[in-house]
mmCIF file of all heavy atoms in Angstrom:
data_model
loop_
_atom_site.group_PDB
_atom_site.id
_atom_site.type_symbol
_atom_site.label_atom_id
_atom_site.label_comp_id
_atom_site.label_asym_id
_atom_site.label_seq_id
_atom_site.Cartn_x
_atom_site.Cartn_y
_atom_site.Cartn_z
ATOM 1 N N ASN A 23 0.826 -1.210 0.000
ATOM 2 C CA ASN A 23 0.000 0.000 0.000
ATOM 3 C C ASN A 23 0.860 1.260 0.000
ATOM 4 O O ASN A 23 0.523 2.256 -0.654
ATOM 5 C CB ASN A 23 -0.919 0.018 1.228
ATOM 6 C CG ASN A 23 -1.905 -1.130 1.246
ATOM 7 O OD1 ASN A 23 -2.146 -1.785 0.235
ATOM 8 N ND2 ASN A 23 -2.489 -1.399 2.414
ATOM 9 N N SER A 24 1.972 1.202 0.713
ATOM 10 C CA SER A 24 2.878 2.354 0.803
ATOM 11 C C SER A 24 3.493 2.675 -0.553
ATOM 12 O O SER A 24 3.633 3.855 -0.919
ATOM 13 C CB SER A 24 3.989 2.086 1.819
ATOM 14 O OG SER A 24 3.453 1.764 3.080
ATOM 15 N N LEU A 25 3.865 1.638 -1.293
ATOM 16 C CA LEU A 25 4.444 1.858 -2.613
ATOM 17 C C LEU A 25 3.423 2.493 -3.553
ATOM 18 O O LEU A 25 3.754 3.383 -4.354
ATOM 19 C CB LEU A 25 4.951 0.539 -3.190
ATOM 20 C CG LEU A 25 6.101 -0.129 -2.419
ATOM 21 C CD1 LEU A 25 6.507 -1.424 -3.102
ATOM 22 C CD2 LEU A 25 7.300 0.807 -2.300
ATOM 23 N N ALA A 26 2.174 2.030 -3.474
ATOM 24 C CA ALA A 26 1.118 2.626 -4.297
ATOM 25 C C ALA A 26 0.944 4.104 -3.948
ATOM 26 O O ALA A 26 0.812 4.957 -4.847
ATOM 27 C CB ALA A 26 -0.190 1.863 -4.105
ATOM 28 N N GLU A 27 0.951 4.416 -2.652
ATOM 29 C CA GLU A 27 0.810 5.811 -2.231
ATOM 30 C C GLU A 27 1.992 6.649 -2.705
ATOM 31 O O GLU A 27 1.827 7.811 -3.103
ATOM 32 C CB GLU A 27 0.693 5.893 -0.705
ATOM 33 C CG GLU A 27 -0.596 5.343 -0.139
ATOM 34 C CD GLU A 27 -1.820 6.077 -0.666
ATOM 35 O OE1 GLU A 27 -1.765 7.318 -0.825
ATOM 36 O OE2 GLU A 27 -2.833 5.405 -0.929
ATOM 37 N N ALA A 28 3.192 6.077 -2.681
ATOM 38 C CA ALA A 28 4.381 6.806 -3.129
ATOM 39 C C ALA A 28 4.266 7.159 -4.620
ATOM 40 O O ALA A 28 4.678 8.245 -5.047
ATOM 41 C CB ALA A 28 5.636 5.979 -2.873
ATOM 42 N N ILE A 29 3.715 6.249 -5.410
ATOM 43 C CA ILE A 29 3.532 6.519 -6.840
ATOM 44 C C ILE A 29 2.541 7.660 -7.035
ATOM 45 O O ILE A 29 2.768 8.574 -7.846
ATOM 46 C CB ILE A 29 3.062 5.242 -7.563
ATOM 47 C CG1 ILE A 29 4.203 4.221 -7.610
ATOM 48 C CG2 ILE A 29 2.580 5.562 -8.986
ATOM 49 C CD1 ILE A 29 3.792 2.852 -8.119
ATOM 50 N N VAL A 30 1.440 7.634 -6.284
ATOM 51 C CA VAL A 30 0.434 8.697 -6.386
ATOM 52 C C VAL A 30 1.035 10.039 -5.973
ATOM 53 O O VAL A 30 0.845 11.060 -6.645
ATOM 54 C CB VAL A 30 -0.800 8.364 -5.529
ATOM 55 C CG1 VAL A 30 -1.776 9.541 -5.504
ATOM 56 C CG2 VAL A 30 -1.499 7.114 -6.059
ATOM 57 N N MET A 31 1.783 10.043 -4.868
ATOM 58 C CA MET A 31 2.410 11.273 -4.389
ATOM 59 C C MET A 31 3.391 11.835 -5.416
ATOM 60 O O MET A 31 3.407 13.035 -5.689
ATOM 61 C CB MET A 31 3.150 11.008 -3.071
ATOM 62 C CG MET A 31 2.249 10.740 -1.878
ATOM 63 S SD MET A 31 3.189 10.062 -0.470
ATOM 64 C CE MET A 31 4.456 11.304 -0.251
ATOM 65 N N THR A 32 4.186 10.954 -6.008
ATOM 66 C CA THR A 32 5.186 11.392 -6.975
ATOM 67 C C THR A 32 4.521 11.905 -8.248
ATOM 68 O O THR A 32 4.938 12.925 -8.817
ATOM 69 C CB THR A 32 6.151 10.244 -7.304
ATOM 70 O OG1 THR A 32 6.707 9.734 -6.089
ATOM 71 C CG2 THR A 32 7.277 10.727 -8.200
ATOM 72 N N ALA A 33 3.483 11.213 -8.704
ATOM 73 C CA ALA A 33 2.750 11.688 -9.887
ATOM 74 C C ALA A 33 2.181 13.079 -9.633
ATOM 75 O O ALA A 33 2.181 13.933 -10.536
ATOM 76 C CB ALA A 33 1.638 10.700 -10.231
ATOM 77 N N GLY A 34 1.715 13.326 -8.418
ATOM 78 C CA GLY A 34 1.212 14.650 -8.075
ATOM 79 C C GLY A 34 2.303 15.704 -8.124
ATOM 80 O O GLY A 34 2.072 16.836 -8.571
ATOM 81 N N GLU A 35 3.521 15.335 -7.699
ATOM 82 C CA GLU A 35 4.646 16.268 -7.751
ATOM 83 C C GLU A 35 5.032 16.592 -9.193
ATOM 84 O O GLU A 35 5.355 17.728 -9.524
ATOM 85 C CB GLU A 35 5.856 15.686 -7.016
ATOM 86 C CG GLU A 35 5.718 15.610 -5.508
ATOM 87 C CD GLU A 35 5.841 16.966 -4.854
ATOM 88 O OE1 GLU A 35 6.585 17.814 -5.375
ATOM 89 O OE2 GLU A 35 5.193 17.174 -3.823
ATOM 90 N N ILE A 36 4.996 15.582 -10.053
ATOM 91 C CA ILE A 36 5.412 15.773 -11.448
ATOM 92 C C ILE A 36 4.328 16.504 -12.229
ATOM 93 O O ILE A 36 4.615 17.313 -13.118
ATOM 94 C CB ILE A 36 5.732 14.415 -12.112
ATOM 95 C CG1 ILE A 36 6.792 13.657 -11.294
ATOM 96 C CG2 ILE A 36 6.185 14.602 -13.552
ATOM 97 C CD1 ILE A 36 8.071 14.410 -11.060
ATOM 98 N N GLY A 37 3.056 16.170 -11.950
ATOM 99 C CA GLY A 37 1.962 16.878 -12.596
ATOM 100 C C GLY A 37 1.554 16.367 -13.951
ATOM 101 O O GLY A 37 0.934 17.097 -14.726
ATOM 102 N N GLU A 38 1.859 15.099 -14.258
ATOM 103 C CA GLU A 38 1.433 14.491 -15.535
ATOM 104 C C GLU A 38 0.283 13.540 -15.252
ATOM 105 O O GLU A 38 0.389 12.651 -14.413
ATOM 106 C CB GLU A 38 2.605 13.746 -16.180
ATOM 107 C CG GLU A 38 2.244 12.927 -17.403
ATOM 108 C CD GLU A 38 1.573 13.754 -18.482
ATOM 109 O OE1 GLU A 38 2.139 14.809 -18.866
ATOM 110 O OE2 GLU A 38 0.482 13.350 -18.922
ATOM 111 N N LYS A 39 -0.823 13.726 -15.993
ATOM 112 C CA LYS A 39 -2.030 12.945 -15.731
ATOM 113 C C LYS A 39 -1.926 11.507 -16.230
ATOM 114 O O LYS A 39 -2.464 10.583 -15.617
ATOM 115 C CB LYS A 39 -3.250 13.622 -16.384
ATOM 116 C CG LYS A 39 -3.691 14.890 -15.668
ATOM 117 C CD LYS A 39 -4.177 14.582 -14.256
ATOM 118 C CE LYS A 39 -4.698 15.817 -13.551
ATOM 119 N NZ LYS A 39 -5.107 15.524 -12.161
ATOM 120 N N LYS A 40 -1.270 11.278 -17.364
ATOM 121 C CA LYS A 40 -1.152 9.922 -17.912
ATOM 122 C C LYS A 40 0.024 9.214 -17.240
ATOM 123 O O LYS A 40 1.173 9.597 -17.428
ATOM 124 C CB LYS A 40 -0.969 9.961 -19.429
ATOM 125 C CG LYS A 40 -2.199 10.421 -20.191
ATOM 126 C CD LYS A 40 -2.008 10.313 -21.697
ATOM 127 C CE LYS A 40 -1.028 11.340 -22.214
ATOM 128 N NZ LYS A 40 -0.967 11.351 -23.702
ATOM 129 N N VAL A 41 -0.282 8.183 -16.450
ATOM 130 C CA VAL A 41 0.737 7.481 -15.670
ATOM 131 C C VAL A 41 0.762 6.016 -16.087
ATOM 132 O O VAL A 41 -0.251 5.314 -15.999
ATOM 133 C CB VAL A 41 0.460 7.587 -14.153
ATOM 134 C CG1 VAL A 41 1.556 6.888 -13.361
ATOM 135 C CG2 VAL A 41 0.336 9.046 -13.729
ATOM 136 N N LEU A 42 1.923 5.542 -16.563
ATOM 137 C CA LEU A 42 2.081 4.166 -17.034
ATOM 138 C C LEU A 42 2.808 3.335 -15.992
ATOM 139 O O LEU A 42 3.794 3.796 -15.408
ATOM 140 C CB LEU A 42 2.895 4.132 -18.340
ATOM 141 C CG LEU A 42 2.189 4.444 -19.652
ATOM 142 C CD1 LEU A 42 1.686 5.880 -19.665
ATOM 143 C CD2 LEU A 42 3.147 4.219 -20.827
ATOM 144 N N LEU A 43 2.347 2.121 -15.783
ATOM 145 C CA LEU A 43 2.984 1.191 -14.850
ATOM 146 C C LEU A 43 3.632 0.075 -15.651
ATOM 147 O O LEU A 43 2.949 -0.684 -16.343
ATOM 148 C CB LEU A 43 1.950 0.625 -13.878
ATOM 149 C CG LEU A 43 1.079 1.655 -13.148
ATOM 150 C CD1 LEU A 43 0.062 0.949 -12.251
ATOM 151 C CD2 LEU A 43 1.924 2.636 -12.342
ATOM 152 N N THR A 44 4.945 -0.046 -15.566
ATOM 153 C CA THR A 44 5.659 -1.025 -16.370
ATOM 154 C C THR A 44 6.880 -1.550 -15.622
ATOM 155 O O THR A 44 7.283 -1.005 -14.601
ATOM 156 C CB THR A 44 6.073 -0.404 -17.729
ATOM 157 O OG1 THR A 44 6.636 -1.408 -18.576
ATOM 158 C CG2 THR A 44 7.071 0.724 -17.538
ATOM 159 N N GLY A 45 7.456 -2.627 -16.127
ATOM 160 C CA GLY A 45 8.581 -3.277 -15.456
ATOM 161 C C GLY A 45 8.116 -4.492 -14.674
ATOM 162 O O GLY A 45 6.930 -4.641 -14.351
ATOM 163 N N GLY A 46 9.056 -5.363 -14.354
ATOM 164 C CA GLY A 46 8.731 -6.639 -13.727
ATOM 165 C C GLY A 46 7.966 -6.542 -12.427
ATOM 166 O O GLY A 46 7.201 -7.448 -12.081
ATOM 167 N N CYS A 47 8.148 -5.445 -11.666
ATOM 168 C CA CYS A 47 7.430 -5.308 -10.393
ATOM 169 C C CYS A 47 5.927 -5.260 -10.596
ATOM 170 O O CYS A 47 5.158 -5.607 -9.684
ATOM 171 C CB CYS A 47 7.891 -4.053 -9.649
ATOM 172 S SG CYS A 47 9.545 -4.189 -8.937
ATOM 173 N N PHE A 48 5.491 -4.856 -11.787
ATOM 174 C CA PHE A 48 4.050 -4.764 -12.030
ATOM 175 C C PHE A 48 3.473 -6.057 -12.602
ATOM 176 O O PHE A 48 2.338 -6.076 -13.072
ATOM 177 C CB PHE A 48 3.740 -3.543 -12.890
ATOM 178 C CG PHE A 48 3.990 -2.260 -12.147
ATOM 179 C CD1 PHE A 48 5.115 -1.500 -12.418
ATOM 180 C CD2 PHE A 48 3.133 -1.849 -11.142
ATOM 181 C CE1 PHE A 48 5.375 -0.331 -11.712
ATOM 182 C CE2 PHE A 48 3.385 -0.693 -10.425
ATOM 183 C CZ PHE A 48 4.503 0.078 -10.703
ATOM 184 N N GLN A 49 4.230 -7.141 -12.498
ATOM 185 C CA GLN A 49 3.636 -8.471 -12.590
ATOM 186 C C GLN A 49 2.888 -8.792 -11.291
ATOM 187 O O GLN A 49 2.086 -9.716 -11.250
ATOM 188 C CB GLN A 49 4.718 -9.533 -12.821
ATOM 189 C CG GLN A 49 5.359 -9.474 -14.194
ATOM 190 C CD GLN A 49 6.460 -10.514 -14.327
ATOM 191 O OE1 GLN A 49 7.558 -10.346 -13.791
ATOM 192 N NE2 GLN A 49 6.174 -11.590 -15.023
ATOM 193 N N ASN A 50 3.190 -8.022 -10.270
ATOM 194 C CA ASN A 50 2.566 -8.156 -8.958
ATOM 195 C C ASN A 50 1.141 -7.597 -9.047
ATOM 196 O O ASN A 50 0.945 -6.391 -9.151
ATOM 197 C CB ASN A 50 3.407 -7.379 -7.932
ATOM 198 C CG ASN A 50 2.887 -7.490 -6.517
ATOM 199 O OD1 ASN A 50 1.688 -7.440 -6.279
ATOM 200 N ND2 ASN A 50 3.811 -7.588 -5.569
ATOM 201 N N ARG A 51 0.152 -8.470 -9.009
ATOM 202 C CA ARG A 51 -1.236 -8.044 -9.190
ATOM 203 C C ARG A 51 -1.696 -7.129 -8.064
ATOM 204 O O ARG A 51 -2.393 -6.141 -8.307
ATOM 205 C CB ARG A 51 -2.160 -9.264 -9.288
ATOM 206 C CG ARG A 51 -3.590 -8.886 -9.698
ATOM 207 C CD ARG A 51 -4.478 -10.096 -9.822
ATOM 208 N NE ARG A 51 -4.795 -10.676 -8.511
ATOM 209 C CZ ARG A 51 -5.637 -11.692 -8.332
ATOM 210 N NH1 ARG A 51 -6.202 -12.279 -9.373
ATOM 211 N NH2 ARG A 51 -5.883 -12.153 -7.119
ATOM 212 N N TYR A 52 -1.325 -7.471 -6.833
ATOM 213 C CA TYR A 52 -1.741 -6.647 -5.692
ATOM 214 C C TYR A 52 -1.249 -5.220 -5.879
ATOM 215 O O TYR A 52 -2.010 -4.254 -5.734
ATOM 216 C CB TYR A 52 -1.209 -7.247 -4.391
ATOM 217 C CG TYR A 52 -1.694 -6.547 -3.137
ATOM 218 C CD1 TYR A 52 -2.694 -7.108 -2.359
ATOM 219 C CD2 TYR A 52 -1.164 -5.319 -2.733
ATOM 220 C CE1 TYR A 52 -3.158 -6.462 -1.203
ATOM 221 C CE2 TYR A 52 -1.615 -4.663 -1.596
ATOM 222 C CZ TYR A 52 -2.607 -5.242 -0.838
ATOM 223 O OH TYR A 52 -3.064 -4.600 0.293
ATOM 224 N N LEU A 53 0.045 -5.057 -6.179
ATOM 225 C CA LEU A 53 0.625 -3.728 -6.344
ATOM 226 C C LEU A 53 -0.025 -2.983 -7.510
ATOM 227 O O LEU A 53 -0.363 -1.803 -7.393
ATOM 228 C CB LEU A 53 2.138 -3.838 -6.577
ATOM 229 C CG LEU A 53 2.868 -2.519 -6.864
ATOM 230 C CD1 LEU A 53 2.795 -1.582 -5.666
ATOM 231 C CD2 LEU A 53 4.323 -2.785 -7.250
ATOM 232 N N THR A 54 -0.214 -3.676 -8.632
ATOM 233 C CA THR A 54 -0.785 -3.027 -9.812
ATOM 234 C C THR A 54 -2.218 -2.574 -9.558
ATOM 235 O O THR A 54 -2.578 -1.421 -9.834
ATOM 236 C CB THR A 54 -0.743 -3.980 -11.023
ATOM 237 O OG1 THR A 54 0.615 -4.362 -11.269
ATOM 238 C CG2 THR A 54 -1.300 -3.307 -12.266
ATOM 239 N N GLU A 55 -3.046 -3.463 -9.017
ATOM 240 C CA GLU A 55 -4.444 -3.108 -8.794
ATOM 241 C C GLU A 55 -4.583 -1.996 -7.761
ATOM 242 O O GLU A 55 -5.402 -1.080 -7.921
ATOM 243 C CB GLU A 55 -5.230 -4.344 -8.361
ATOM 244 C CG GLU A 55 -5.392 -5.372 -9.482
ATOM 245 C CD GLU A 55 -6.175 -6.597 -9.047
ATOM 246 O OE1 GLU A 55 -6.439 -6.748 -7.834
ATOM 247 O OE2 GLU A 55 -6.523 -7.410 -9.923
ATOM 248 N N LYS A 56 -3.791 -2.065 -6.704
ATOM 249 C CA LYS A 56 -3.842 -1.033 -5.673
ATOM 250 C C LYS A 56 -3.419 0.323 -6.244
ATOM 251 O O LYS A 56 -4.054 1.357 -5.972
ATOM 252 C CB LYS A 56 -2.939 -1.415 -4.506
ATOM 253 C CG LYS A 56 -2.893 -0.419 -3.368
ATOM 254 C CD LYS A 56 -4.202 -0.325 -2.611
ATOM 255 C CE LYS A 56 -4.490 -1.566 -1.814
ATOM 256 N NZ LYS A 56 -5.665 -1.418 -0.920
ATOM 257 N N THR A 57 -2.349 0.322 -7.050
ATOM 258 C CA THR A 57 -1.846 1.571 -7.618
ATOM 259 C C THR A 57 -2.839 2.163 -8.618
ATOM 260 O O THR A 57 -3.097 3.372 -8.609
ATOM 261 C CB THR A 57 -0.486 1.342 -8.298
ATOM 262 O OG1 THR A 57 0.420 0.749 -7.356
ATOM 263 C CG2 THR A 57 0.103 2.651 -8.786
ATOM 264 N N VAL A 58 -3.396 1.319 -9.474
ATOM 265 C CA VAL A 58 -4.377 1.795 -10.459
ATOM 266 C C VAL A 58 -5.582 2.413 -9.757
ATOM 267 O O VAL A 58 -6.051 3.506 -10.119
ATOM 268 C CB VAL A 58 -4.822 0.640 -11.384
ATOM 269 C CG1 VAL A 58 -6.059 1.033 -12.200
ATOM 270 C CG2 VAL A 58 -3.686 0.245 -12.324
ATOM 271 N N ALA A 59 -6.083 1.747 -8.727
ATOM 272 C CA ALA A 59 -7.246 2.259 -7.999
ATOM 273 C C ALA A 59 -6.941 3.602 -7.337
ATOM 274 O O ALA A 59 -7.760 4.539 -7.382
ATOM 275 C CB ALA A 59 -7.695 1.243 -6.950
ATOM 276 N N ARG A 60 -5.759 3.718 -6.737
ATOM 277 C CA ARG A 60 -5.404 4.969 -6.066
ATOM 278 C C ARG A 60 -5.184 6.103 -7.078
ATOM 279 O O ARG A 60 -5.580 7.245 -6.834
ATOM 280 C CB ARG A 60 -4.141 4.762 -5.214
ATOM 281 C CG ARG A 60 -4.386 3.974 -3.953
ATOM 282 C CD ARG A 60 -5.261 4.764 -2.954
ATOM 283 N NE ARG A 60 -4.580 5.976 -2.520
ATOM 284 C CZ ARG A 60 -5.020 7.215 -2.742
ATOM 285 N NH1 ARG A 60 -6.150 7.429 -3.396
ATOM 286 N NH2 ARG A 60 -4.328 8.262 -2.316
ATOM 287 N N LEU A 61 -4.560 5.793 -8.208
ATOM 288 C CA LEU A 61 -4.359 6.816 -9.243
ATOM 289 C C LEU A 61 -5.699 7.303 -9.783
ATOM 290 O O LEU A 61 -5.921 8.507 -9.950
ATOM 291 C CB LEU A 61 -3.492 6.264 -10.375
ATOM 292 C CG LEU A 61 -1.994 6.110 -10.072
ATOM 293 C CD1 LEU A 61 -1.320 5.280 -11.158
ATOM 294 C CD2 LEU A 61 -1.311 7.475 -9.944
ATOM 295 N N GLN A 62 -6.599 6.371 -10.063
ATOM 296 C CA GLN A 62 -7.924 6.755 -10.546
ATOM 297 C C GLN A 62 -8.650 7.602 -9.508
ATOM 298 O O GLN A 62 -9.301 8.592 -9.856
ATOM 299 C CB GLN A 62 -8.739 5.505 -10.876
ATOM 300 C CG GLN A 62 -8.269 4.776 -12.127
ATOM 301 C CD GLN A 62 -9.007 3.473 -12.349
ATOM 302 O OE1 GLN A 62 -9.519 2.857 -11.410
ATOM 303 N NE2 GLN A 62 -9.054 3.025 -13.604
ATOM 304 N N GLY A 63 -8.525 7.234 -8.249
ATOM 305 C CA GLY A 63 -9.180 7.974 -7.184
ATOM 306 C C GLY A 63 -8.689 9.402 -7.046
ATOM 307 O O GLY A 63 -9.417 10.280 -6.569
ATOM 308 N N GLU A 64 -7.446 9.643 -7.493
ATOM 309 C CA GLU A 64 -6.862 10.984 -7.402
ATOM 310 C C GLU A 64 -6.931 11.739 -8.727
ATOM 311 O O GLU A 64 -6.317 12.802 -8.866
ATOM 312 C CB GLU A 64 -5.408 10.893 -6.924
ATOM 313 C CG GLU A 64 -5.252 10.356 -5.512
ATOM 314 C CD GLU A 64 -5.919 11.244 -4.465
ATOM 315 O OE1 GLU A 64 -5.868 12.488 -4.623
ATOM 316 O OE2 GLU A 64 -6.513 10.704 -3.510
ATOM 317 N N GLY A 65 -7.653 11.189 -9.698
ATOM 318 C CA GLY A 65 -7.876 11.906 -10.951
ATOM 319 C C GLY A 65 -6.832 11.693 -12.026
ATOM 320 O O GLY A 65 -6.840 12.413 -13.048
ATOM 321 N N PHE A 66 -5.942 10.725 -11.852
ATOM 322 C CA PHE A 66 -4.955 10.423 -12.884
ATOM 323 C C PHE A 66 -5.526 9.415 -13.880
ATOM 324 O O PHE A 66 -6.564 8.792 -13.633
ATOM 325 C CB PHE A 66 -3.679 9.860 -12.249
ATOM 326 C CG PHE A 66 -2.932 10.847 -11.407
ATOM 327 C CD1 PHE A 66 -3.114 10.890 -10.033
ATOM 328 C CD2 PHE A 66 -2.054 11.747 -11.981
ATOM 329 C CE1 PHE A 66 -2.442 11.809 -9.242
ATOM 330 C CE2 PHE A 66 -1.370 12.668 -11.212
ATOM 331 C CZ PHE A 66 -1.570 12.706 -9.832
ATOM 332 N N GLU A 67 -4.844 9.253 -15.001
ATOM 333 C CA GLU A 67 -5.226 8.265 -16.009
ATOM 334 C C GLU A 67 -4.171 7.159 -16.009
ATOM 335 O O GLU A 67 -3.142 7.277 -16.667
ATOM 336 C CB GLU A 67 -5.302 8.900 -17.392
ATOM 337 C CG GLU A 67 -6.293 10.047 -17.522
ATOM 338 C CD GLU A 67 -6.173 10.741 -18.864
ATOM 339 O OE1 GLU A 67 -5.767 10.078 -19.844
ATOM 340 O OE2 GLU A 67 -6.459 11.954 -18.923
#
């Protein structure tokens, strides 16, 4: 959950709405689904 929050926080700092999740760590379904849900909740794509 912390890693997902860190991605959301960093995306907010950068200010780009389109956020792509890639690399071997995103074979992790829990991390991917949690991050996607949090990004959507904060208005990112």
Side-chain angles (χ1 to χ4, degrees):
N23 297 343
S24 304
L25 296 180
E27 291 300 321
I29 290 172
V30 173
M31 290 167 55
T32 306
E35 290 286 328
I36 304 304
E38 172 56 52
K39 287 296 183 183
K40 291 186 289 187
V41 182
L42 279 64
L43 308 178
T44 187
C47 287
F48 291 104
Q49 290 178 284
N50 182 319
R51 189 179 72 175
Y52 186 103
L53 176 64
T54 301
E55 291 180 350
K56 180 68 69 172
T57 305
V58 167
R60 286 292 297 117
L61 286 168
Q62 288 174 335
E64 295 298 323
F66 293 96
E67 301 172 28

